[in-house]
């Protein structure tokens, strides 16, 4: 009898996995025609940015993510000094899946050596990235952390270079990334309509800072899709807390620490709650989460599926929001002073 029960349980598990795979929500990416999973795979940890990741673990993480319905993978030559792109490229190739079944975004302009948004460098950068990723094209090519360059150079030199790369078939779509929200409207108001397809914003749509929400109507009117990265605010909304170098103020760190402690006391997981909060906004095409292990992939996929089937824990959310209210939408400086 026990054997039958075990066999039935295993069969149910397999059926559940099949059903769950279909349940990862896909969202449209602005006017591009792309559809990406609501949870995106942030590949910066594959560059050993947060500790060493073996090739086996990287391959297993990417494979499980893909099998679980995650079809969006984001990297950059900056992450791990090009290592993230190489490791992701190998892992995607190991899937043996059709190229059209996953969406890859990489970046240009920021490197281990520093920032260089010149047309010559970003053009060369894409060729190098494609070689490392073992791809003929990327789906989205993004100028990386543009607040560290001259925004006028981005408008007049970098973006036109990316348009040429798009015309050459090296990328399908163009994006810009950065922390200060004002950079997006500055650039978008100066380039021809339809030039930029995607913006990637980070740390501005999470439980402690939802200021990106105010920009959504503007971006929608421009036909620009939104990717939201770092729903855990670079470690602020975790039980372990942020890394020592985190640029947040002591007050913000302290409030987030108190929120995490409150969740732990209540038997809740602040990271899961934070990810689910970010996923609630359907205007955001995908929420990028850094992943480097099978366990992390499982946690993030489970959080997304629980949200889809059961909704968010409203009581826990309101308690955490109350704790974070004094520091709501508080951020930190990033980039150079723009003239």
């Amino acid at each position: 009898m026990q054997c039958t029960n075990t066999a039935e349980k295993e069969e149910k598990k397999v059926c559940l996995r099949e059903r769950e795979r279909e349940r990862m929500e896909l969202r449209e990416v602005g006017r591009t025609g792309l559809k990406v999973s609501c949870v995106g795979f942030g590949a910066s940890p594959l560059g050993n940015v947060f500790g060493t990741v073996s090739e086996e673990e990287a391959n297993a993480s990417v494979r499980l993510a893909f099998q679980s319905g995650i079809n969006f993978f984001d990297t950059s030559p900056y992450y791990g000094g090009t290592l993230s792109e190489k490791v992701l490229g190998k892992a995607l190739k190991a899937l043996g899946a059709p190229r059209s079944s996953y969406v890859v975004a990489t970046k240009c302009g920021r490197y281990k050596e520093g920032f260089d948004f010149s047309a010559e460098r970003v053009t060369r950068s894409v060729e190098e990235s494609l070689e490392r990723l073992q791809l003929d094209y990327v789906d989205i090519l993004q100028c990386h952390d543009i607040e560290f360059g001259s925004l006028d150079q981005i408008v007049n030199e970098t973006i036109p270079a990316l348009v040429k790369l798009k015309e050459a078939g090296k990328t399908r779509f163009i994006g810009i990334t950065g922390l200060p929200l004002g950079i997006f409207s500055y650039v978008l108001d100066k380039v021809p309509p339809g030039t930029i397809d995607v913006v990637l914003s980070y740390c501005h749509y999470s439980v402690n800072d939802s200021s990106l929400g105010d920009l959504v109507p503007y971006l929608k009117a421009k036909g620009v899709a939104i990717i939201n990265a770092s729903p855990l605010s670079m470690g602020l909304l975790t039980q372990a807390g942020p890394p020592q170098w985190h640029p947040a103020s002591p007050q913000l760190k302290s409030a987030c620490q108190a929120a995490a402690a409150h969740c732990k006391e209540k038997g809740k997981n602040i990271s899961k709650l934070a990810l689910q909060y970010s996923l609630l906004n359907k205007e955001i095409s995908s929420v990028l989460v850094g992943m480097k292990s099978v366990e992390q992939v499982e946690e993030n996929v489970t959080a997304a599926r629980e949200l889809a089937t059961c909704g968010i824990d409203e009581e826990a959310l309101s308690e955490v929001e109350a704790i974070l209210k004094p520091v709501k939408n508080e951020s930190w400086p990033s980039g150079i002073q723009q003239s």
Side-chain angles (χ1 to χ4, degrees), residues 170-240:
K170 303 295 181 182
T171 183
R172 296 175 68 196
F173 302 104
I174 294 169
I176 50 176
T177 86
L179 182 71
L181 294 174
I183 60 176
F184 297 130
S185 53
Y186 184 93
V187 172
L188 286 166
D189 285 345
K190 287 179 165 54
V191 298
T195 306
I196 291 170
D197 306 290
V198 182
V199 301
L200 188 159
S201 168
Y202 70 98
C203 292
H204 282 311
Y205 203 86
S206 48
V207 187
N208 60 297
D209 182 345
S210 58
S211 50
L212 175 63
D214 296 335
L215 201 61
V216 168
Y218 166 85
L219 293 170
K220 276 197 79 178
K222 292 275 187 184
V224 175
I226 307 159
I227 305 295
N228 172 42
S230 202
L232 311 185
S233 288
M234 299 193 320
L236 285 174
L237 302 174
T238 61
Q239 197 57 57

Side-chain angles (χ1 to χ4, degrees), residues 17 51 58 71 102 167 174 199 203 229 242 295 306 324:
R17 277 200 297 269
N71 73 340
Y102 51 85
E167 288 166 353
I174 294 169
V199 301
C203 292
E295 291 73 27
E306 278 184 18
L324 295 174

Side-chain angles (χ1 to χ4, degrees), residues 100-299:
S100 58
S101 62
Y102 51 85
V103 174
V104 178
T106 193
K107 307 182 184 77
C108 60
R110 183 170 197 176
Y111 311 98
K112 187 173 67 173
E113 307 77 37
F115 292 89
D116 187 345
F117 293 103
S118 67
E120 186 276 328
R121 183 65 188 100
V122 299
T123 302
R124 186 158 43 90
S125 179
V126 177
E127 295 293 353
E128 294 165 354
S129 289
L130 292 175
E131 191 174 327
R132 286 189 288 263
L133 288 162
Q134 303 182 56
L135 298 174
D136 296 325
Y137 67 91
V138 289
D139 297 282
I140 307 169
L141 178 61
Q142 305 159 108
C143 293
H144 196 175
D145 291 341
I146 61 172
E147 69 268 28
F148 287 94
S150 155
L151 294 183
D152 288 326
Q153 183 190 24
I154 301 293
V155 169
N156 299 316
E157 183 178 350
T158 320
I159 298 295
L162 266 55
V163 170
K164 285 181 181 173
L165 288 162
K166 182 178 179 179
E167 288 166 353
K170 303 295 181 182
T171 183
R172 296 175 68 196
F173 302 104
I174 294 169
I176 50 176
T177 86
L179 182 71
L181 294 174
I183 60 176
F184 297 130
S185 53
Y186 184 93
V187 172
L188 286 166
D189 285 345
K190 287 179 165 54
V191 298
T195 306
I196 291 170
D197 306 290
V198 182
V199 301
L200 188 159
S201 168
Y202 70 98
C203 292
H204 282 311
Y205 203 86
S206 48
V207 187
N208 60 297
D209 182 345
S210 58
S211 50
L212 175 63
D214 296 335
L215 201 61
V216 168
Y218 166 85
L219 293 170
K220 276 197 79 178
K222 292 275 187 184
V224 175
I226 307 159
I227 305 295
N228 172 42
S230 202
L232 311 185
S233 288
M234 299 193 320
L236 285 174
L237 302 174
T238 61
Q239 197 57 57
Q244 278 191 318
W245 51 260
H246 199 293
S249 69
Q251 293 83 358
L252 179 52
K253 286 179 181 174
S254 176
C256 291
Q257 193 178 4
H262 175 80
C263 284
K264 188 179 181 183
E265 191 182 308
K266 295 274 185 172
K268 308 290 183 184
N269 181 333
I270 192 165
S271 298
K272 180 171 103 171
L273 188 72
L275 173 56
Q276 290 180 332
Y277 173 85
S278 294
L279 287 168
L280 283 174
N281 191 329
K282 305 276 187 173
E283 303 289 0
I284 291 167
S285 299
S286 190
V287 177
L288 278 178
V289 194
M291 303 187 219
K292 65 172 184 174
S293 68
V294 164
E295 291 73 27
Q296 288 180 350
V297 173
E298 284 174 343
E299 282 174 17

